[in-house]
Amino acid sequence: MWLTGWSALALLGYALAAWGASPERERWMPALWLAWPAHAVALVFDLGGIGQLPAGARFGFAPALSLMFWLVWAVVLIESRFLPLQFMRRVLAMLAAVAVALAWVFPGQLHAAATPWAPLHWVLGLVSYGLLGTAVLHAWLLGRAERQMRHPGSGGAPVGLPLLRLERLTFQFVAASVLVLGLALLLGAALGAPWHWDHKTLFSLLAWCVLAGLLAGRHWLGWRGAQATRWLYVGAALLLMAYVGSRFVLQVLLGRVV
């Protein structure tokens, strides 16, 4: 009941924000400050299994996706105080609404913690999704800014941030995601459970290798621009397949309990 109410409130706020994400309807943007906290409470109820039977933490592809968009919105709400980001709010609000709806329909499955450190492993993995999602968003903004610089008449709202600063922010988020994902992998390997080369483990390791390779290439080979963003998008796609993609296939398409 509580989960349903907070999810509905978040959906309403994101829908109003998406509808009002234009200069002539800017008065609707405070709806984001309704949606984002409601989204946070819904995540707490969902991931914590509060008020659900049996009690216990629940994880799944939809809650992971929902948390990723909540973390992305946390960064956007901070940066929007300094940058004109109205042009991207509509798409982000609609994507967040879809993620909330998916988590509402597919709330995840009960997971028993094998050790006291298991919740930290789960949290680190989910946070790495949010950090990498934020890096992808900044990479997209970087590409948009570069196109506007090369083609001044291309139109569209300006990004409003110097290219070098935007590039630095992008790779800071990449570095943070590599660090957090690496900690999650190390902790998962040290929890004492037998190591399994399943889809989640394989795609997570591939994603970490690609992203670490991107940071190395940028540092030693000077990778920038389209070459760097391609590596970032590949790494993000691999990480998305690691948990969200594999769990979607198992839970929804195959109907397995994992």
Side-chain angles (χ1 to χ4, degrees), residues 174-208:
V174 173
S177 68
V178 168
L179 175 62
V180 174
L181 179 59
L183 290 175
L185 290 170
L186 288 174
L187 189 57
L191 285 178
W195 184 270
H196 296 291
W197 283 102
D198 55 9
H199 290 84
K200 179 172 68 71
T201 302
L202 179 60
F203 280 118
S204 296
L205 284 172
L206 287 174
W208 188 89

Side-chain angles (χ1 to χ4, degrees), residues 11 46 61-63 65-66 96-108 248:
L11 278 172
D46 191 4
F61 78 94
L65 203 60
S66 182
V98 170
V100 171
L102 284 172
W104 190 351
V105 176
F106 303 102
F248 173 80

